[in-house]
Amino acid sequence: MNYAAIKTHDISNGPGVRVSLFVSGCTHHCKGCFNSETWDFAYGEPFTEEVEKRVLKALEPEYIGGLSLLGGEPFEIENQRTVLSFLEKVRERYPNKNIWCYSGYRLDEDLLGQTPVHTREAEEILRRIDVLVDGEFVEEQKDLRNIRFRGSANQRIIDVPSSLEAGEVRLWEDRYEREKRS
C-alpha cells in the first residue's frame, strides 16, 4: 500500500487533535474530490515499517485524540490487508484513542453487503474503528459551513461499534449529542 500524506496535528477530520493517514488508491473517482491525486494506487510513497513506526510515535502524546484514516480509499481491496495490520497495532498500543475512517463505501450496502469489498479484512477493520464517515462525496451536496467532519450532506457519521451490535446503522451524532447534554 502507498500513502499520500500524514498529518500529525489535524483538527479537520474528527474531534480534537488527531493524526491523519491518507492512503493511496480509490476507484470511486468522485466529481470534485479534494484529493484526486490519491486515486492512483501508485501515488505517494510505500507505507513501510518505518513509516508505520513514525505514525505510531505521532499518536503517542496525550493531547492526540486519535487516528483518522482517509484517502484515497482505505477499504479498497488492495489496501485492506495493510490497513488491518496497522489498525491492529494502533489498537494494541493505544486502546483508549479513537479511530475514525472515511470511506466512499456505505457501511450497510457495501462494507457489510454482498459486494467485492465485503471481505474478512473489511469486517476486521470495522471492528477496530470507532467512527465511519461513509458515502461518496457528492459535489452538489457540498456544505462546508453547516456540516461537521464531512464534505457533503449525504455522508453519514456512523458509530461503528453501536451499529455492529444493533445490526443497523447508528449515527455518531446522536450519541455525541446525548453525551454533550449529560
Side-chain angles (χ1 to χ4, degrees):
M1 178 180 88
N2 277 10
Y3 74 98
I6 297 166
K7 293 184 178 181
T8 58
H9 294 87
D10 188 357
I11 59 170
S12 299
N13 297 301
V17 180
R18 318 182 60 70
V19 174
S20 292
L21 170 64
F22 293 78
V23 304
S24 294
C26 182
T27 58
H28 298 296
H29 297 186
C30 301
K31 177 183 162 195
C33 174
F34 82 101
N35 220 4
S36 59
E37 63 274 4
T38 66
W39 295 351
D40 182 353
F41 286 89
Y43 181 79
E45 301 293 326
F47 190 70
T48 63
E49 191 174 320
E50 289 77 37
V51 173
E52 185 177 89
K53 287 178 183 175
R54 196 171 86 223
V55 177
L56 288 168
K57 180 77 173 155
L59 284 162
E60 193 173 280
E62 245 181 78
Y63 65 86
I64 298 292
L67 172 72
S68 292
L69 288 172
L70 305 95
E73 172 59 65
F75 279 99
E76 292 291 2
I77 297 286
E78 296 86 343
N79 293 335
Q80 288 183 12
R81 185 167 291 142
T82 303
V83 167
L84 174 58
S85 174
F86 176 59
L87 291 182
E88 287 171 341
K89 292 170 187 160
V90 172
R91 275 289 174 227
E92 182 180 318
R93 194 157 168 187
Y94 304 110
N96 297 321
K97 302 226 183 217
N98 62 64
I99 300 174
W100 281 47
C101 184
Y102 287 74
S103 176
Y105 293 111
R106 292 184 55 92
L107 176 65
D108 42 351
E109 297 168 19
D110 302 313
L111 298 175
L112 296 175
Q114 298 300 312
T115 67
V117 294
H118 178 184
T119 64
R120 183 194 66 76
E121 287 85 2
E123 288 180 5
E124 292 299 320
I125 290 168
L126 288 168
R127 285 189 187 97
R128 286 162 178 80
I129 63 175
D130 298 291
V131 175
L132 176 69
V133 180
D134 82 342
E136 292 187 3
F137 172 74
V138 177
E139 190 170 41
E140 296 77 23
Q141 294 186 39
K142 181 178 177 179
D143 183 3
L144 301 181
R145 288 183 185 213
N146 297 310
I147 57 176
R148 298 177 343 145
F149 305 133
R150 46 198 174 131
S152 58
N154 63 296
Q155 295 171 314
R156 304 177 296 182
I157 304 176
I158 298 171
D159 178 337
V160 176
S162 175
S163 296
L164 293 177
E165 185 178 319
E168 66 182 22
V169 172
R170 298 266 172 99
L171 298 180
W172 173 81
E173 293 121 327
D174 297 340
R175 189 185 84 201
Y176 178 76
E177 291 303 320
R178 281 193 308 272
E179 288 173 0
K180 254 179 36 180
R181 287 191 297 266
S182 301

